[in-house]
Amino acid sequence: MLLKSPPGKPTSGGDRTPPRARLPLALAALTAVLAAAMLGGLALGAVRVPADEVLRIVTGEAPPGPFTTIVRDVRLPRVLLGAIVGAGLAVVGTVLQALVRNPLADPFLLGISSGASTGAVLVLVLGVGAGALGMPAGAFVGSLGALLVVWAMARRGGSMTTGRLVLAGVAVQYILSAVTSLVLVTAARAEHMREILFWTLGGLGQARWDSLPLPAAALLAGLTVLVLLARPLDLLLVGEEGATVLGLHTGRFRTGVFVLASLVTAVLVTVSGAIGFVGLMVPHAARMAVGAGHRALLPVAALAGAAFLVLADLAARTVAAPQEIPVGVLTALTGGPFFLWLLRRTTKAEGTA
């Protein structure tokens, strides 16, 4: 099943409201959900902080104290990082699904997140790279390399099917997981093992104020560029030939956006590890709300992804408290069944096409 919904066409069967008219309502609703999720993320945990006290702390009206330290120094950076990473993964997933015209595309399933994680781990263990940009650079090389290999494998034979894309992504993930496991068992220092497990499972527990500027800048720059490229992304929905006839150089455009998607993913994985399925589930929900046109779809997907990951991280911190579940494990538990359902529906549609 390819993404064939033309831009602007409603994707939900019962709602006849034009997608453009639903955009303000969707943005307002998602902003409210995100604000509530962030408030919950700041108030709930091993130590519960009253909601009014959280608001006083965030606005700077509360005096110094234990609650202020917990909210301002521990939870607020984590909640903000969750919103940034969730938004970024959702945006990248939305764009990848348009680029390959496949509803199963996702930074994790296509091996981009695994490639970024492996690249960062190799930089960490081998000690290569200079300064704070060493691991993001290694992650970028790994993510782009993984994406190119998956794309080349899926395109062999001249056409790309859903099954071939999924198999290529799974194969690359297995290889990268084996490399990461090999590095894990041969790491000489104990702190390397802990950090490698962090990148493998995904989590927001290492969030600090100084870890926010780089992913925030990557998200802002990437989202701005992609919104400006909304029309070419819409043209890809009509197919290769149609997009070319309408003046789009599809090969050059795909290459540029692939590089941008890999760069954004690499920065996010560097600070959060490999968190899967956010970029798979959120774009489908966003299309149901506002249609397939990317000028509306991208900001809606960003807000929905931010709210989703903040809520997922809140659940990961509280469901088994005081034990904390890696948020990547929780998103896999929710995203795995969704992927299987989507794969079944997609292969059935291809079989009847």
Side-chain angles (χ1 to χ4, degrees):
M1 175 182 174
L2 299 178
L3 297 177
K4 294 180 179 178
S5 301
K9 181 179 179 180
T11 57
S12 54
D15 189 357
R16 299 296 180 180
T17 307
R20 194 175 293 272
R22 296 200 300 266
L23 178 60
L25 178 60
L27 292 176
L30 286 170
T31 300
V33 171
L34 177 58
M38 295 180 75
L39 179 61
L42 295 175
L44 301 177
V47 176
R48 298 204 171 195
V49 182
D52 57 341
E53 185 68 14
V54 170
L55 294 176
R56 293 180 62 231
I57 293 171
V58 171
T59 56
E61 298 178 0
F67 282 171
T68 302
T69 301
I70 291 172
V71 171
R72 187 176 297 167
D73 297 337
V74 179
R75 293 183 183 171
L76 187 55
R78 180 167 182 157
V79 166
L80 291 175
L81 183 62
I84 292 169
V85 172
L89 292 176
V91 166
V92 171
T94 301
V95 170
L96 289 177
Q97 289 172 12
L99 289 177
V100 302
R101 299 187 67 236
N102 194 303
L104 298 177
D106 165 77
F108 185 78
L109 294 173
L110 294 188
I112 305 177
S113 295
S114 298
S117 181
T118 301
V121 166
L122 289 175
V123 169
L124 171 71
V125 174
L126 299 178
V128 298
L133 295 179
M135 277 189 288
F140 171 66
V141 173
S143 64
L144 183 59
L147 177 59
L148 293 177
V149 171
V150 171
W151 176 256
M153 291 172 63
R155 293 283 294 183
R156 286 183 67 89
S159 63
M160 181 177 61
T161 65
T162 294
R164 188 178 292 146
L165 180 69
V166 172
L167 288 174
V170 170
V172 170
Q173 279 196 68
Y174 270 119
I175 295 171
L176 293 171
S177 296
V179 172
T180 305
S181 298
L182 179 62
V183 173
L184 177 61
V185 298
T186 57
R189 296 164 61 184
E191 61 266 28
H192 285 168
M193 296 184 185
R194 181 177 300 177
E195 290 181 308
I196 292 170
L197 285 174
F198 159 74
W199 271 301
T200 302
L201 300 175
L204 303 173
Q206 297 189 13
R208 300 291 183 271
W209 282 108
D210 58 1
S211 65
L212 297 179
L214 185 59
L219 171 63
L220 180 61
L223 181 59
T224 301
V225 172
L226 291 171
V227 169
L228 293 175
L229 296 175
R231 183 178 179 275
L233 289 169
D234 290 343
L235 291 179
L236 288 178
L237 299 179
V238 304
E240 295 273 351
E241 295 182 2
T244 303
V245 169
L246 292 172
L248 179 64
H249 192 298
T250 56
R252 188 181 306 161
F253 178 75
R254 273 199 175 96
T255 300
V257 180
F258 275 151
V259 171
L260 178 60
S262 299
L263 180 59
V264 174
T265 304
V267 173
L268 299 178
V269 169
T270 301
V271 294
S272 69
I275 299 175
F277 297 101
V278 177
L280 174 69
M281 296 184 289
V282 171
H284 288 279
R287 284 190 198 91
M288 293 176 63
V290 295
H294 286 84
R295 192 172 297 278
L297 179 60
L298 286 169
V300 169
L303 280 173
F308 174 79
L309 194 57
V310 170
L311 288 172
D313 183 59
L314 175 60
R317 289 191 286 117
T318 57
V319 166
Q323 186 75 20
E324 181 175 322
I325 303 171
V327 70
V329 173
L330 199 61
T331 59
L333 289 174
T334 56
F338 179 83
F339 169 73
L340 293 175
W341 170 79
L342 190 61
L343 178 62
R344 181 175 179 271
R345 195 183 70 168
T346 301
T347 52
K348 182 183 293 186
E350 287 181 346
T352 58

